[in-house]
Amino acid sequence: MDSTLNHYNKKRNFAKTKEPLGKKGKSQKKLRFVVQHHLARRDHYDFRLEKDGVLKSWAVPKGLSTNPKEKRLAVQVEDHPISYQNFEGTIPKGEYGGGTVMIWDQGYYEIIEDNTDDFKKGTIKITLKGKRLKGTWTFIHYKEKNWLLIKEKDQYINRDLTKFKTSSKSGKTMKEIEKGKKIYKKKQSSNQIEIESVTITSPDKVIWKSPKVTKLDLINYYNKIAPRILPFLENRLISTIRCPNGSEHEIFFKKHLESPRKGIKKILVPGKNGKKEDYYYISNIEGLISEVQMNSYEFHIWGCLAKNINHPDMMVFDLDPDENMKIEKVRQGVKDLKSILDNLGLTSFLKTSGGKGYHVVVPIKSLKNWEKFRTFSKNIATLMATKWPDRYVSNVRKENRRNKIFIDWIRNTKKATSVAPYSIRIRKKATVSMPISWKELDTIKPNEITIAEALKRLKRKDPWENFFDINQ
């Protein structure tokens, strides 16, 4: 054990707590940071910065603010081991710091200015590159262990941080972490498995025969992929494709809620003749798993949030090629579309469809209603069909598509849906609609990524990590 971490080790009984033993680690080229929500005797956030093989740590009682006018107290505490950046769980009651710890955000940081004596006194100015926290912040020491944490003025000011109530690592809520929510293997004598508050029936039911995929495999997939898929599913109206008897049997589209369930919420949306219809959405990981329990394996989402159904914010273009079209032509279509979006100053993201084509997704909030949203997307598709009439069509009619790609813009209308990023597709081989980087376009086919490959890709950098930071 390193003397730097003596204080940390003396405070803890490692026979009782699952916190990591205090050993000095090796710093990497990129400096890491983590912010942990800590529900102990007092609710607070712990801000930790990697330096010299340890995590320099502060307790922030009121949490962080992105308002440069708000100064938040940050009380410096003992150094923590670098391995603490991955700690999420419960510290037993009666032990030091007893309570629940959730990884609220993590990433890398750069030191812009350091006028301190080993982070003890002075001023530190850093730039954060996390999933939720971005931009420049300043720590100012003013008395004993007390510092002020202030957001500097940049493009990331005044962002709403209160909406982030789940772990950026596991997708779980504080309550779920406290209860130790996890997937359990089925007992031999039972035809059920249990997740905290969710019972999964028929876990061994075969959904795909080749490759063999069971219901339990699908449960485990969505549990592991939750941190990536939930930001696209949470609080966004959904429809699902269900196949209760396996992928080779009857499937059906589900868009209305049949019965109340935990983690699932509904809203009433005006329909034809003024009659209201009940649409629904997932509010947390429990809702996601309960949907899979109800045999929903493919998830489709609206282009707006449930709380603001008249203001779209996610534009989707589905490049749907004619049968037997060579993949090179499909990829060229994606490049042509991106060139138009680039010329319009719009940042776009790429994913596989899990079928024949690719999807190009544009986060866009400046078009204030569905009519403008729909017209804008249609004009882009029409422009492509006009500029390259031998390659693309913007008309949905099948007879117009011979040897061409249909630029499907019709999803950008109210109540229309598109398959969610990371969703499994009810197709051969259980493919996934997978976010990929632009540089991967020429190496990954639209139907190439399966469940197993999608899970392997979780270890890589998220190619869409900045999706929700784009404001255009």
Side-chain angles (χ1 to χ4, degrees):
M1 292 184 287
D2 191 272
S3 58
T4 310
L5 296 167
N6 276 347
H7 195 191
Y8 168 89
N9 287 319
K10 288 178 180 178
K11 285 175 174 283
R12 290 160 176 85
N13 182 346
F14 295 102
K16 295 182 179 180
T17 181
K18 293 183 179 179
E19 295 167 283
L21 187 66
K23 294 181 180 179
K24 195 171 183 179
K26 292 183 179 180
S27 291
Q28 300 178 349
K29 290 183 179 180
K30 286 186 175 182
L31 295 171
R32 292 161 286 189
F33 85 90
V34 63
V35 175
Q36 288 157 315
H37 188 180
H38 192 172
L39 187 55
R41 184 170 56 89
R42 292 182 179 178
D43 191 359
H44 66 279
Y45 289 79
D46 293 315
F47 199 130
R48 311 190 195 281
L49 300 174
E50 176 185 358
K51 189 176 189 297
D52 299 330
V54 298
L55 292 176
K56 299 293 182 179
S57 300
W58 291 262
V60 186
K62 291 186 178 181
L64 288 83
S65 170
T66 57
N67 183 349
K69 296 180 180 179
E70 293 183 353
K71 300 177 177 66
R72 292 293 167 90
L73 173 66
V75 182
Q76 193 163 23
V77 298
E78 74 277 10
D79 294 346
H80 283 52
I82 287 179
S83 55
Y84 208 94
Q85 67 174 322
N86 296 316
F87 177 69
E88 183 171 88
T90 55
I91 301 170
K93 187 176 180 180
E95 294 301 302
Y96 176 75
T100 306
V101 177
M102 177 178 79
I103 297 176
W104 185 85
D105 193 24
Q106 58 186 164
Y108 299 96
Y109 81 98
E110 295 178 358
I111 298 176
I112 306 300
E113 184 180 308
D114 181 5
N115 297 318
T116 69
D117 175 17
D118 192 28
F119 281 23
K120 293 177 182 176
K121 291 183 179 181
T123 302
I124 313 162
K125 185 175 288 188
I126 59 175
T127 295
L128 298 180
K129 298 180 180 180
K131 294 180 179 179
R132 297 169 178 174
L133 295 175
K134 298 179 185 295
T136 304
W137 303 70
T138 298
F139 281 88
I140 302 174
H141 179 262
Y142 76 96
K143 186 174 75 172
E144 298 177 346
K145 296 293 185 180
N146 295 333
W147 298 63
L148 295 177
L149 179 58
I150 307 170
K151 181 75 185 73
E152 294 293 324
K153 292 181 179 179
D154 56 25
Q155 72 213 68
Y156 300 108
I157 65 171
N158 297 325
R159 298 181 66 223
D160 181 16
L161 300 181
T162 61
K163 63 182 179 181
F164 300 117
K165 300 183 184 300
T166 58
S167 166
S168 66
K169 179 182 179 181
S170 66
K172 298 175 183 177
T173 64
M174 291 291 276
K175 185 176 180 180
E176 289 165 345
I177 293 169
E178 182 184 5
K179 292 185 176 181
K181 180 170 183 171
K182 61 181 180 179
I183 299 294
Y184 293 95
K185 292 184 178 180
K186 181 179 76 72
K187 296 180 180 179
Q188 289 184 353
S189 59
S190 172
N191 194 35
Q192 295 182 344
I193 58 172
E194 288 189 359
I195 304 171
E196 188 68 35
S197 298
V198 180
T199 300
I200 306 301
T201 59
S202 305
D204 289 335
K205 180 168 64 177
V206 176
I207 310 301
W208 276 268
K209 291 182 179 179
S210 180
K212 183 181 177 182
V213 178
T214 66
K215 189 174 183 179
L216 180 57
D217 292 329
L218 300 179
I219 292 284
N220 282 327
Y221 169 78
Y222 279 113
N223 184 62
K224 291 176 182 177
I225 211 79
R228 295 279 184 93
I229 194 173
L230 278 175
F232 296 94
L233 287 181
E234 281 179 320
N235 306 316
R236 193 175 291 270
L237 297 181
I238 64 169
S239 298
T240 69
I241 296 182
R242 294 183 172 178
C243 54
N245 298 310
S247 61
E248 296 180 1
H249 297 274
E250 182 183 11
I251 64 173
F252 61 94
F253 207 63
K254 175 73 179 174
K255 61 180 182 179
H256 300 298
L257 185 64
E258 72 286 273
S259 61
R261 280 177 278 125
K262 288 185 178 180
I264 301 289
K265 297 183 179 180
K266 72 174 182 177
I267 65 170
L268 296 176
V269 178
K272 294 180 180 180
N273 302 320
K275 183 179 179 181
K276 293 186 176 180
E277 301 175 290
D278 58 327
Y279 288 85
Y280 72 113
Y281 60 94
I282 288 168
S283 60
N284 55 36
I285 190 173
E286 189 174 39
L288 171 61
I289 299 302
S290 72
E291 268 300 299
V292 182
Q293 154 60 18
M294 296 296 290
N295 305 303
S296 290
Y297 306 137
E298 182 173 325
F299 292 86
H300 292 244
I301 55 177
W302 285 40
C304 63
L305 294 173
K307 66 180 180 181
N308 202 352
I309 61 171
N310 293 317
H311 187 184
D313 64 1
M314 189 184 298
M315 186 174 288
V316 179
F317 294 95
D318 178 2
L319 284 81
D320 187 4
D322 188 22
E323 295 289 341
N324 302 317
M325 180 176 284
K326 291 184 177 179
I327 187 65
E328 290 76 17
K329 288 188 176 181
V330 183
R331 287 170 172 155
Q332 184 58 50
V334 175
K335 294 172 184 176
D336 288 341
L337 174 56
K338 186 177 188 296
S339 70
I340 290 175
L341 296 171
D342 287 346
N343 287 335
L344 291 171
L346 294 174
T347 301
S348 55
F349 296 80
L350 176 66
K351 68 183 177 79
T352 64
S353 68
K356 296 185 297 180
Y358 296 92
H359 292 169
V360 176
V361 186
V362 185
I364 183 168
K365 301 175 183 177
S366 56
L367 301 168
K368 298 297 184 181
N369 59 56
W370 281 106
E371 183 179 355
K372 291 180 180 179
F373 200 74
R374 177 183 181 278
T375 301
F376 186 78
S377 63
K378 181 181 180 180
N379 288 344
I380 290 175
T382 302
L383 175 60
M384 290 188 69
T386 304
K387 189 174 182 178
W388 298 288
D390 58 328
R391 301 182 194 173
Y392 314 115
V393 294
S394 59
N395 192 305
V396 71
R397 296 176 66 178
K398 285 270 187 181
E399 57 266 28
N400 296 333
R401 300 193 203 181
R402 187 171 179 81
N403 298 320
K404 298 179 182 180
I405 298 173
F406 170 46
I407 309 299
D408 186 353
W409 55 272
I410 301 173
R411 301 168 186 274
N412 302 305
T413 57
K414 190 174 182 179
K415 296 188 179 180
T417 61
S418 61
V419 67
Y422 303 101
S423 173
I424 294 168
R425 304 302 306 271
I426 311 298
R427 305 200 176 198
K428 290 182 179 179
K429 299 182 180 180
T431 54
V432 173
S433 181
M434 190 74 190
I436 61 176
S437 66
W438 283 106
K439 66 182 180 182
E440 293 178 301
L441 173 61
D442 288 328
T443 58
I444 296 178
K445 296 178 181 179
N447 61 352
E448 180 176 332
I449 296 181
T450 60
I451 291 174
E453 180 62 26
L455 292 175
K456 288 180 183 178
R457 289 177 65 88
L458 285 181
K459 299 177 182 179
R460 304 183 188 179
K461 182 181 178 181
D462 180 3
W464 285 30
E465 66 176 349
N466 296 322
F467 186 91
F468 292 102
D469 298 319
I470 304 298
N471 189 8
Q472 56 191 11

